[in-house]
Amino acid sequence: AGGQLMRDVRAGLRTQNGAVAMERLEARLPGRAAITLSGKNEKDRFSGPLSFAAEEPQIFARWLLGEELSAKLQWSSALRVKGTVTYTADEMSLSDFQALVENARVSGKLTVQGWRDRRNSVLQANLEAEGVNFDATLPVARSVLALAGDLKFTLNLLATNSRFLNKPLKRASVTAAQSEGGFRLQNLTLDDLDGISLIAKGSGSEKGYEFSAEAIRDSGFAAALEYLSGSADLSNIATRYAVSHFPLRFAGTLAPLKNGWRVLAKSGDAELALDLGELRDARQPVDAVFRLPSTEIAAKGEFRFGAEGRFEPQLMLSLKTADLRKDFALADRASANVLPAQGSATLL
């Protein structure tokens, strides 16, 4: 593959019970890569230390996977792995391993059960990581999932001192799985993503999620909202409102739709129900109710978003309020831009 060959291959073999057993393997590979594996065979079990390093992992991936598949994996720095390999007829594992991946340090254990039968095999990954740049790692992870196809797996990950959305992330933990029913995020915890803390877990049979969160800093809140919505305008408007309510605590549910998510959220006496989809170069129908202690706003219409996420709402509003002056002050604080709207108001 990739038009290059393995070089300097050395192997130590011996016969055992009429079969050939490997005791040592050394090889130099494309991408300035080298692998060393040694160990002992006892009955049907092999165990021994593994060392692997690739100074140019992109070239190594092209050799191993081919041009088309390797193009989906973008590596920018050296890849190094060491640990203990163990395999039997039913299970293969890499334990006590330490790896340097995209300048992040990763350790833990990988186990593949039923590795001889790919259709029924299951990968179990229990990992700890430090210094992960999730902005660079997540695209690689999505590509790996695409390459893995229908591979079943479970993942438990604890990450510390990392970065996400170009913001510092003190701690994150993830539990996820992929089975015949598809990928499923089971639990997610974020501690201090530039002032954002979040706990989310799977709920019910509809594959939705329950969440609770707290925001104490406008920069983290704005970055998270822009990532979720794809709209800098919408993020700016919401952050202008939220900043006067920090610390902002909210909880609710997320349920998947065909082309997006249904959000039900509550913060104090305020409630929000909203359907969100991909908010770039799109028109998103809106049927939402926003409740505050003295105000209820029902909105129907659509959110329009340009290719760059420009927010242009076209809404029919129904407003019930106990104090219109507070609502005008709220609108002025929430946005410095004109928000075109049509509707009616009832003064109580």
Side-chain angles (χ1 to χ4, degrees):
Q4 300 185 58
L5 301 175
M6 290 191 294
R7 296 173 292 169
D8 298 338
V9 180
R10 301 178 183 178
L13 307 173
R14 69 181 177 87
T15 58
Q16 179 176 302
N17 298 327
V20 177
M22 183 188 70
E23 293 186 329
R24 185 173 183 84
L25 171 68
E26 298 179 6
R28 293 175 59 194
L29 308 170
R32 296 167 59 198
I35 184 170
T36 301
L37 173 63
S38 61
K40 294 182 178 181
N41 290 275
E42 297 179 357
K43 296 183 180 181
D44 295 328
R45 183 178 184 273
F46 171 87
S47 182
L50 167 75
S51 176
F52 172 81
E55 298 299 324
E56 297 174 327
Q58 195 68 43
I59 295 176
F60 172 76
R62 186 164 60 246
W63 169 78
L64 183 66
L65 302 173
E67 191 74 38
E68 182 178 354
L69 295 180
S70 65
K72 299 178 181 181
L73 304 174
Q74 297 299 316
W75 305 90
S76 60
S77 59
L79 172 64
R80 293 183 171 84
V81 180
K82 64 179 181 179
T84 300
V85 171
T86 303
Y87 70 80
T88 65
D90 301 317
E91 182 177 289
M92 179 185 297
S93 69
L94 176 62
S95 58
D96 300 324
F97 83 86
Q98 297 180 355
L100 183 66
V101 184
E102 290 295 286
N103 295 317
R105 299 186 181 279
V106 184
S107 61
K109 182 178 182 179
L110 300 173
T111 303
V112 182
Q113 296 180 336
W115 64 278
R116 293 179 182 272
D117 182 2
R118 187 184 183 282
R119 290 184 302 174
N120 296 312
S121 63
V122 179
L123 169 65
Q124 297 176 339
N126 296 291
L127 308 175
E128 294 187 5
E130 182 178 9
V132 178
N133 181 355
F134 284 102
D135 297 314
T137 303
L138 285 178
V140 174
R142 284 192 288 266
S143 297
V144 170
L145 282 176
L147 294 175
D150 58 356
L151 174 67
K152 303 178 185 67
F153 69 84
T154 61
L155 168 67
N156 293 291
L157 170 66
L158 172 64
T160 56
N161 300 322
S162 302
R163 294 189 68 82
F164 182 43
L165 308 181
N166 200 29
K167 302 292 183 181
L169 174 57
K170 184 177 180 180
R171 184 181 184 275
S173 62
V174 179
T175 302
Q178 178 160 285
S179 61
E180 294 179 354
F183 178 78
R184 177 71 169 154
L185 181 65
Q186 297 169 328
N187 289 281
L188 171 66
T189 301
L190 303 180
D191 292 333
D192 195 6
L193 172 61
D194 194 22
I196 297 286
S197 295
L198 169 73
I199 298 175
K201 62 179 181 179
S203 63
S205 60
E206 296 182 357
K207 298 185 178 181
Y209 299 93
E210 299 174 351
F211 68 89
S212 61
E214 181 181 60
I216 62 173
R217 195 172 300 123
D218 58 346
S219 56
F221 183 82
L225 189 56
E226 183 175 351
Y227 174 77
L228 293 172
S229 69
S231 172
D233 267 10
L234 180 63
S235 172
N236 181 55
I237 291 169
T239 302
R240 283 175 178 267
Y241 165 76
V243 71
S244 61
H245 292 72
F246 286 156
L248 182 65
R249 299 180 179 90
F250 47 96
T253 60
L254 276 173
L257 302 174
K258 183 177 181 180
N259 295 307
W261 294 88
R262 174 161 294 159
V263 182
L264 301 175
K266 183 174 182 180
S267 178
D269 294 321
E271 297 180 3
L272 176 66
L274 187 63
D275 291 350
L276 291 176
E278 171 53 47
L279 301 184
R280 288 186 185 274
D281 197 18
R283 291 185 174 187
Q284 179 64 41
V286 174
D287 188 353
V289 178
F290 185 60
R291 294 185 179 91
L292 293 170
S294 61
T295 303
E296 178 179 297
I297 303 173
K300 291 188 177 183
E302 64 181 15
F303 284 164
R304 298 179 180 180
F305 298 87
E308 300 301 322
R310 179 69 181 175
F311 181 47
E312 297 175 351
Q314 301 291 323
L315 302 174
M316 294 291 293
L317 301 178
S318 176
L319 173 68
K320 294 182 180 180
T321 181
D323 191 340
L324 189 61
R325 296 171 302 171
K326 291 183 179 179
D327 298 319
F328 282 137
L330 172 63
D332 181 65
R333 184 170 64 244
S335 178
N337 303 316
V338 175
L339 298 178
Q342 301 178 41
S344 60
T346 302
L347 304 183
L348 303 179

